[in-house]
């Protein structure tokens, strides 16, 4: 299935509007009972594309495209849609704010009991979780940017007051989410001869070298990361063992606020900072979710629109330091050694000795973020392409599914993650992730945008389009949620789900992929040195022939011959401008000019013969 992000986003928007606006009111909720994550994902299905894709903007009513209005006609016209969004986002902010004014980030029914017979307590359901903090950052930034632009066209004082109130609530939630993520960050330190230490060294040792040598090399490789943690004091409890160069460690984000995480000193009115209970060790899934949310804080849009105040910029800098350190750590581990990368040894094995293709995909996601940050070499990217291609096969994204295939479990019901620490308030809890195909799509699209190698880019787009085709087949085909996700039974026979309600979890992730695809499509074409050389030679020939033709052309400024020569000259001038960045387009213009010049030469020869 071809990537056509704008048309595909509008297609999904049509279904989102159809489901969300029924009976004249906004219809919240999906397969899980309402919670801070699901409701934010529902709003992001509209707000995120409108914030990032320039020709899908909704904040300038007079400029909203006709096809955008058609897809959202269930929500109103160009003036009513922004007003409706302000109302429902305001409702969201109120719903997930406690009586004392503290924003809440509970996972709700996204939390599941590890015991099928058990029932999670209200306290457990209200625990803050990384997914909620991360989606809050993305939604808040999208909302603040939307309000800043839309307010310019508002004249009524009542609407101005409503915008001001929502802006304050959104900014407060943004600050609270940033503080929450800071307190979810964790550094897990362990001895080399411990179970986690042996597991890590086993993963890294792809050449069968002595364990002592592997240990020395990884400690040397991670020395810069270890030293940098001395700067990351805001919201991070310092482990003295980290100063011991003989110890190993992992860093990243736990599932929620870490046990014993210190209170963040901030002037922002974020409300109470509750004690954490989460295990002080990183989870790959929650680390990737946090990294994606944090990246929105230092996007060009956030900077240009000035969406962060001075204190929020300080919090963002603290998060960016953790972002950098996490990328550096996991990229170093995944690409360790001079031969085969640990990342290429699928499936990835974690330090608690769990193995899954899904974990390989998560590590690949972090590595790609690091490669994007460092403008990495094509060699590094090409090796990552091979990993994505193999994961697509192993996950049956582009292969036929056989009966009883173990790969089905990656998609339905998904990979189960134990939420260590949540049992303090009730039974053991878990989190189930079922976004393997969508995560593969997102990372393939992101890598395609990074690649400057035509061959690698084409392979990545093949993976992305195969993943999109797989995901698109899983849309619901009837009922009120028609056109939304997710019905894995369309691809995996025997899988049964509730087809009347949408999974906002998966729908929002598909929207993210399409937005990222729109960004990739908008980038300049890959520059081919070979095409530049060919176009340069063509231009040289065309310039010489044009000069020769000028000698024979009429100099009368109104003559048809002179007008034709000016058109040819214009094509060559345009080709010269495009030569370095778009050599293929330049060559096409030169070919047209050469054709015109040849026609003139033939016509002159015919005229000479007839004399």
């Amino acid at each position: 299935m071809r990537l056509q992000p704008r048309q595909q986003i509008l297609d999904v928007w049509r279904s989102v509007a159809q489901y969300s606006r029924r009976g004249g009111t906004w219809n919240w909720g999906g397969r899980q009972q309402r919670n801070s994550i699901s409701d934010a994902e529902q709003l992001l299905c509209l707000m995120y594309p409108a914030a990032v894709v320039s020709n899908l903007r909704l904040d300038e009513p007079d400029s909203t495209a006709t096809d955008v209005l058609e897809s959202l006609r269930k929500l109103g016209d160009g003036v009513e849609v922004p007003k409706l969004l302000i109302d429902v986002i305001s409702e969201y902010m109120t719903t997930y704010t406690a009586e004392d004014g503290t924003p809440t980030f509970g996972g709700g029914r996204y939390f599941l009991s590890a015991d099928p017979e058990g029932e999670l307590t209200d306290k457990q359901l209200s625990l803050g979780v990384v997914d909620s903090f991360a989606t809050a950052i993305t939604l808040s930034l999208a909302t603040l940017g939307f309000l800043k632009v839309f307010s310019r066209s508002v004249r009524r004082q009542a609407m101005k007051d409503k915008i001001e109130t929502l802006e304050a609530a959104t900014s407060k939630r943004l600050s609270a989410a940033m503080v929450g993520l800071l307190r979810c960050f964790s550094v897990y330190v362990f001895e080399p001869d411990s179970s986690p230490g042996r597991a890590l060294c086993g993963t890294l040792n792809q050449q069968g070298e002595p364990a002592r040598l592997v240990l020395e090399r990884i400690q040397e490789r991670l020395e810069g990361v270890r030293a940098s943690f001395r700067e990351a004091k805001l919201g991070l409890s310092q482990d003295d063992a980290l100063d011991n160069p003989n110890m190993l460690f992992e860093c990243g984000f736990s599932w929620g606020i870490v046990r014993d995480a210190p209170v963040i000193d901030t002037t922002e009115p974020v409300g109470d900072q509750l004690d954490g209970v989460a295990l002080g060790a990183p989870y790959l899934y929650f680390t990737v979710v946090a990294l994606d949310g944090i990246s929105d804080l230092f996007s060009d849009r956030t900077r240009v629109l000035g969406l962060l105040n001075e204190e929020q910029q300080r919090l963002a800098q603290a998060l960016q330091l953790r972002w950098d350190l996490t990328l550096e750590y996991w990229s170093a581990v995944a690409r360790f050694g001079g031969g085969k990368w640990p990342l290429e040894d699928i499936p990835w094995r974690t330090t608690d000795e769990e193995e899954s293709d899904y974990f390989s995909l998560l590590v690949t996601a972090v590595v790609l973020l690091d490669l994007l940050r460092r403008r990495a070499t094509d060699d590094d990217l090409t090796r990552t392409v091979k990993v994505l291609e193999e994961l697509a096969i192993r996950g049956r994204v582009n292969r036929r599914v056989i009966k009883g295939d173990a790969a089905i479990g990656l998609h339905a019901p998904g990979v189960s993650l134990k939420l260590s620490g949540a049992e303090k308030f009730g039974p053991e809890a878990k989190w189930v992730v079922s976004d393997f195909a969508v995560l593969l799509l997102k990372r393939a699209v992101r890598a395609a945008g990074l690649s400057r190698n035509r061959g690698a880019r084409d392979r990545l787009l093949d993976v992305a389009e195969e993943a999109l085709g797989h995901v698109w087949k899983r849309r619901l085909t009837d009922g009120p949620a028609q056109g939304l996700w997710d019905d894995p039974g369309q691809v995996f026979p025997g899988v049964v789900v509730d087809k009347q309600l949408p999974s906002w979890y998966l729908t929002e992730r598909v929207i993210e992929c399409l937005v990222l695809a729109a960004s990739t499509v908008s980038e300049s074409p890959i520059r081919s040195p070979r095409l530049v050389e060919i176009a340069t030679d063509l231009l040289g020939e065309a310039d010489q022939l044009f000069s020769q033709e000028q000698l024979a052309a009429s100099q009368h400024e109104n003559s048809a011959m002179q007008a034709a020569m000016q058109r040819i000259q214009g094509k060559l001038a345009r080709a010269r401008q495009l030569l370095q960045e778009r050599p293929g387009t330049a060559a096409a213009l030169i070919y047209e000019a050469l054709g015109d010049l040849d026609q003139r030469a033939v016509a002159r020869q015919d005229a000479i013969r007839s004399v």
Side-chain angles (χ1 to χ4, degrees):
M1 182 176 186
R2 301 295 296 177
L3 283 165
Q4 299 175 329
R6 189 176 192 277
Q7 292 79 3
Q8 287 156 348
I9 289 172
L10 292 179
D11 194 11
V12 179
W13 266 10
R14 194 172 291 106
S15 298
V16 171
Q18 183 74 30
Y19 178 86
S20 299
R21 184 74 166 174
R22 286 180 287 162
T25 60
W26 185 267
N27 180 42
W28 292 101
R31 289 186 185 167
Q32 286 77 24
Q33 294 178 13
R34 287 190 62 185
N35 59 70
S36 66
I37 307 169
S38 178
D39 285 358
E41 289 166 339
Q42 183 176 358
L43 291 172
L44 279 171
C45 287
L46 296 172
M47 296 299 297
Y48 190 59
V52 178
V53 184
S54 59
N55 57 14
L56 296 180
R57 291 174 57 177
L58 302 172
D59 47 18
E60 294 181 331
D62 293 338
S63 303
T64 307
T66 302
D67 57 348
V68 170
L69 293 176
E70 189 281 327
S71 68
L72 297 177
R73 66 181 184 277
K74 285 287 184 180
L75 304 183
D77 57 24
V79 175
E80 292 302 319
V81 169
K83 293 179 180 178
L84 174 64
L85 290 175
I86 288 173
D87 288 339
V88 294
I89 296 173
S90 297
E91 181 184 344
Y92 172 86
M93 295 296 171
T94 301
T95 301
Y96 298 105
T97 300
E99 292 183 359
D100 64 356
T102 301
T104 61
F105 300 91
R109 292 297 172 182
Y110 275 28
F111 291 133
L112 300 173
S113 174
D115 179 3
E117 303 299 324
E119 181 66 27
L120 298 182
T121 64
D122 290 341
K123 181 69 173 178
Q124 289 176 303
L125 298 178
S126 67
L127 290 172
V129 64
V130 164
D131 276 60
S132 186
F133 296 130
T135 54
I137 287 176
T138 304
L139 177 61
S140 296
L141 291 174
T143 300
L144 289 172
F146 168 79
L147 294 176
K148 176 160 286 192
V149 176
F150 179 66
S151 62
R152 299 169 187 166
S153 61
V154 172
R155 297 291 180 265
R156 292 177 54 245
Q157 188 60 44
M159 178 56 68
K160 289 183 178 180
D161 293 343
K162 185 179 291 188
I163 290 174
E164 184 177 345
T165 300
L166 177 56
E167 192 171 29
T170 303
S171 181
K172 182 175 182 178
R173 187 168 186 84
L174 173 61
S175 298
M178 295 165 70
V179 167
L181 271 189
L182 283 170
R183 302 182 73 212
C184 292
F185 187 79
S186 171
V187 181
Y188 176 42
V189 184
F190 46 88
E191 295 182 355
D193 60 352
S194 65
S195 178
R198 291 191 296 271
L200 178 59
C201 289
T203 298
L204 298 178
N205 191 2
Q206 295 295 313
Q207 310 303 317
E209 298 176 321
R212 176 184 56 79
L213 183 59
V214 174
L215 182 60
E216 289 177 358
R217 287 178 177 174
I218 191 60
Q219 287 173 335
E220 180 181 355
R221 181 80 177 268
L222 296 176
E223 181 54 37
V225 181
R226 188 193 304 272
S228 296
F229 278 118
R230 299 187 183 97
E231 302 176 33
K233 297 179 180 179
L234 187 61
L236 182 65
S237 56
Q238 297 295 316
D239 191 333
D240 294 337
L242 188 60
D243 293 329
N244 184 347
N246 296 318
M247 301 292 280
L248 292 174
F249 66 94
E250 284 184 328
C251 65
F253 292 81
S254 186
W255 62 266
I257 297 174
V258 174
R259 184 187 312 122
D260 299 327
V263 171
I264 303 296
D265 182 20
T266 179
T267 57
E268 284 293 289
V270 298
D272 292 338
Q273 298 184 39
L274 303 177
D275 293 338
V277 299
L279 174 70
Y283 286 64
L284 279 170
Y285 165 76
F286 293 106
T287 294
V288 171
V289 169
L291 293 175
D292 282 344
I294 292 170
S295 63
D296 289 330
L297 289 168
F298 38 88
S299 68
D300 290 341
R301 181 176 181 274
T302 300
R303 177 180 52 81
V304 170
L305 290 179
L307 302 182
L308 304 180
N309 61 35
E310 185 175 346
E311 175 63 10
Q312 288 170 339
Q313 290 176 15
R314 186 179 75 93
L315 296 175
Q317 289 171 358
L319 283 170
Q320 183 166 8
L321 176 59
R322 286 154 176 74
W323 192 84
D324 290 334
L325 293 175
T326 301
L327 293 188
E328 188 174 346
Y329 173 85
W330 285 102
S331 186
V333 168
R335 300 183 300 114
F336 179 77
K340 182 180 181 180
W341 287 353
L343 178 62
E344 295 171 315
D345 186 15
I346 302 173
W348 184 269
R349 181 174 60 171
T350 63
T351 52
D352 56 359
E353 301 189 62
E354 295 287 335
E355 294 183 335
S356 173
D357 292 344
Y358 185 68
F359 297 150
S360 291
L361 184 54
L362 291 169
V363 177
T364 304
V366 182
V367 170
L368 284 171
L369 285 173
D370 182 59
L371 296 180
L372 178 64
R373 177 188 64 156
R374 295 187 297 104
R375 300 290 181 183
T377 65
D378 280 332
D379 178 62
D380 283 345
L381 183 60
T382 300
R383 295 178 70 171
T384 310
V385 173
K386 294 180 181 178
V387 175
L388 291 174
E389 288 175 331
E390 183 173 350
L391 289 171
I393 294 171
R394 293 171 68 104
R396 302 297 183 268
V397 171
N398 57 2
R399 290 293 187 275
R400 180 172 58 87
V401 180
I402 62 175
K403 186 176 181 180
D405 200 325
I408 296 176
L410 290 170
H411 308 271
V415 178
S416 180
L417 307 173
K418 180 182 177 182
L419 303 181
S420 298
E423 66 276 6
K424 178 179 180 180
F425 300 114
E428 289 189 351
K430 66 178 182 179
W431 188 277
V432 177
V433 285
S434 56
D435 63 338
F436 183 92
V438 181
L439 185 60
L440 178 69
L441 168 59
K442 183 174 183 179
R443 301 310 159 179
V445 170
R446 183 183 290 277
L450 165 66
S451 177
R452 294 289 91 191
N453 178 284
R454 170 63 64 183
R457 189 175 190 271
D458 288 345
R459 289 167 60 192
L460 287 163
L461 288 176
D462 284 343
V463 173
E465 289 172 351
E466 288 170 340
L468 179 62
H470 169 95
V471 170
W472 213 256
K473 291 176 184 176
R474 291 168 56 170
R475 298 172 77 192
L476 296 165
T477 56
D478 52 30
Q482 181 178 355
L484 303 178
W485 280 267
D486 175 38
D487 182 9
Q490 297 281 3
V491 179
F492 306 113
V495 177
V496 179
V497 297
D498 183 351
K499 299 181 182 181
Q500 297 301 304
L501 298 173
S503 167
W504 292 118
Y505 168 87
L506 209 65
T507 300
E508 190 273 335
R509 280 160 172 76
V510 174
I511 284 286
E512 279 186 38
C513 295
L514 295 175
V515 169
L516 189 59
S519 176
T520 298
V521 169
S522 300
E523 293 180 355
S524 300
I526 293 175
R527 178 182 176 276
S528 168
R530 184 167 58 88
L531 269 180
V532 172
E533 185 177 348
I534 293 172
T536 300
D537 289 344
L538 289 171
L539 185 59
E541 178 179 334
D543 279 338
Q544 184 172 356
L545 293 175
F546 179 77
S547 296
Q548 293 174 359
E549 192 64 29
Q550 279 186 315
L551 294 175
S554 169
Q555 297 303 309
H556 192 284
E557 62 180 15
N558 293 321
S559 70
M561 182 181 294
Q562 191 67 20
M565 291 295 289
Q566 288 176 353
R567 287 195 294 271
I568 294 173
Q569 186 177 28
K571 290 178 182 179
L572 294 178
R574 176 62 175 162
R576 196 170 286 107
Q577 291 176 346
L578 298 175
L579 185 62
Q580 295 300 321
E581 295 301 321
R582 292 162 55 188
T585 304
L589 290 169
I590 297 168
Y591 280 128
E592 289 181 11
L594 286 170
D596 292 343
L597 289 168
D598 187 60
Q599 287 180 359
R600 299 191 61 76
V602 171
R604 187 168 57 256
Q605 291 173 359
D606 290 344
I608 292 173
R609 293 192 192 101
S610 64
V611 173

